[in-house]
Amino acid sequence: GGHPNIVTLEAAYTAAQTDAAIVTIAASLKIVVTQIQMTADNANTVDVGFRVGFGATTTPTTTGVVLTHPGVAPGSGISRGSGSSILGVGADGEDLRITSEVPTGGSIRILFSYYTVES
């Protein structure tokens, strides 16, 4: 089952992110997230806090957050969803955005699956 047009995407970051768009869409579309995970490089020397969610210009802090953690330890990660159900649906034209701390000495990776629907 599931949607016939699932897209799987990985984004890697070595610096802090502030309201950075991971996926951008047109005003007539909505993003539907079905699975998301964040992993922290074992080379990181600090825990890395982050937040991913739907927003037109900023990463949300309450409604619209898809995945968040105050500090993922080096060499570990956090995951939500299996890809078989809907975790969140953005509003018309809302991009999927990330805000994160600096992954000092390494990187973080966001891996997620999604599809788009018309408004």
Side-chain angles (χ1 to χ4, degrees), residues 23-25 29-33 54 88-91 94-96 112 114-117:
V23 174
T24 58
I25 59 166
L29 296 175
K30 295 180 182 185
I31 299 173
V32 181
V33 174
F54 303 108
V89 180
E94 283 188 330
D95 300 326
L96 190 64
F112 62 99
Y114 74 98
Y115 58 93
T116 59
V117 294

Side-chain angles (χ1 to χ4, degrees), residues 2-118:
H3 196 275
N5 295 319
I6 296 285
V7 177
T8 301
L9 181 68
E10 179 183 47
Y13 302 100
T14 58
Q17 301 299 308
T18 303
D19 305 320
I22 303 171
V23 174
T24 58
I25 59 166
S28 61
L29 296 175
K30 295 180 182 185
I31 299 173
V32 181
V33 174
T34 60
Q35 179 275 337
I36 186 166
Q37 62 183 331
M38 182 275 220
T39 56
D41 189 342
N42 196 47
N44 291 351
T45 58
V46 297
D47 295 351
V48 181
F50 77 100
R51 191 174 61 256
V52 175
F54 303 108
T57 57
T58 61
T59 308
T61 57
T62 55
T63 303
V65 173
V66 179
L67 188 66
T68 187
H69 195 282
V72 177
S76 66
I78 182 174
S79 181
R80 183 172 177 227
S82 65
S84 63
S85 63
I86 295 172
L87 295 179
V89 180
D92 290 350
E94 283 188 330
D95 300 326
L96 190 64
R97 297 183 173 276
I98 183 170
T99 292
S100 70
E101 297 173 338
V102 177
T104 304
S107 65
I108 61 171
R109 294 183 180 269
I110 306 293
L111 176 67
F112 62 99
S113 58
Y114 74 98
Y115 58 93
T116 59
V117 294
E118 292 183 9

